[in-house]
Amino acid sequence: MKKRERKFLVFLKDLKEGRNDLEWIIKSEDLEIEDLIMKSEIRMKMTLQKSGEKVLITGSLIFRGEVTCAYCGERFLRDFSEDFVSCYVKGDEKRLPPNLDLDDEEIDRVYYRGDFINLEPLIRDTIILSLPIAPQCPRHQE
């Protein structure tokens, strides 16, 4: 049986109640993103605020990538720095009562099961949302 990869997992038993500061270095080959060629490691700094089975995660990703200019089609390097916030709650989203009015904080909730949180979707989404729709190389920037 193949051992499961644990690259993007945070185990709740490893977190203390309250504030937990973590820094991760993610190898570029561990995360493929369409339309982006990673040219550096991804530096991830985050604060995990644990309260029981609820974890609020705030942080930032810093990386360098190669993108294609929307004007001339040439590839160029660009540095990225993107912040993120996400709230993880143990449970099942489907168990919410029908017609429940949700406030902004509840809309951003991610539900998890088990004793760990998988941060790969958060990392992937943060990187994808940081990519410009029409990147401009330095020659085409005003």
Side-chain angles (χ1 to χ4, degrees):
M1 183 197 261
K2 188 176 180 182
K3 188 175 180 182
R4 184 173 178 191
E5 290 289 329
R6 302 170 73 172
K7 291 180 182 152
F8 302 105
L9 303 183
V10 172
F11 288 86
L12 274 73
K13 65 180 170 109
D14 296 337
L15 299 177
K16 66 180 187 222
E17 282 292 311
R19 184 182 175 122
N20 297 266
D21 293 318
L22 296 176
E23 287 189 38
W24 285 0
I25 303 293
I26 302 166
K27 294 178 183 175
S28 59
E29 60 267 16
D30 290 341
L31 196 67
E32 290 186 27
I33 304 289
E34 189 175 326
D35 297 329
L36 176 71
I37 298 171
M38 290 288 185
K39 291 296 188 177
S40 73
E41 299 170 323
I42 302 163
R43 296 181 137 327
M44 182 174 184
K45 290 185 179 185
M46 60 187 152
T47 298
L48 296 88
Q49 190 73 33
K50 181 180 176 195
S51 177
E53 295 179 330
K54 181 179 178 181
V55 181
L56 177 66
I57 302 176
T58 59
S60 63
L61 295 176
I62 298 171
F63 59 96
R64 175 173 273 202
E66 186 177 289
V67 294
T68 303
C69 178
Y71 293 90
C72 67
E74 289 188 29
R75 308 273 309 161
F76 68 98
L77 290 178
R78 178 171 169 178
D79 293 322
F80 292 87
S81 178
E82 194 68 24
D83 296 332
F84 57 84
V85 176
S86 193
C87 183
Y88 290 80
V89 179
K90 188 166 189 168
D92 189 349
E93 186 175 18
K94 296 175 184 154
R95 292 186 184 175
L96 289 175
N99 301 324
L100 181 67
D101 289 330
L102 300 175
D103 63 22
D104 289 343
E105 180 187 23
E106 292 171 318
I107 291 170
D108 294 335
R109 286 187 177 175
V110 178
Y111 293 87
Y112 71 92
R113 294 182 185 173
D115 58 352
F116 63 87
I117 297 170
N118 183 356
L119 295 184
E120 183 175 3
L122 172 64
I123 297 166
R124 185 175 299 283
D125 290 349
T126 301
I127 291 171
I128 290 169
L129 291 173
S130 74
L131 298 176
I133 293 171
Q136 295 178 9
C137 69
R139 283 191 350 217
H140 292 100
Q141 292 177 355
E142 297 177 342

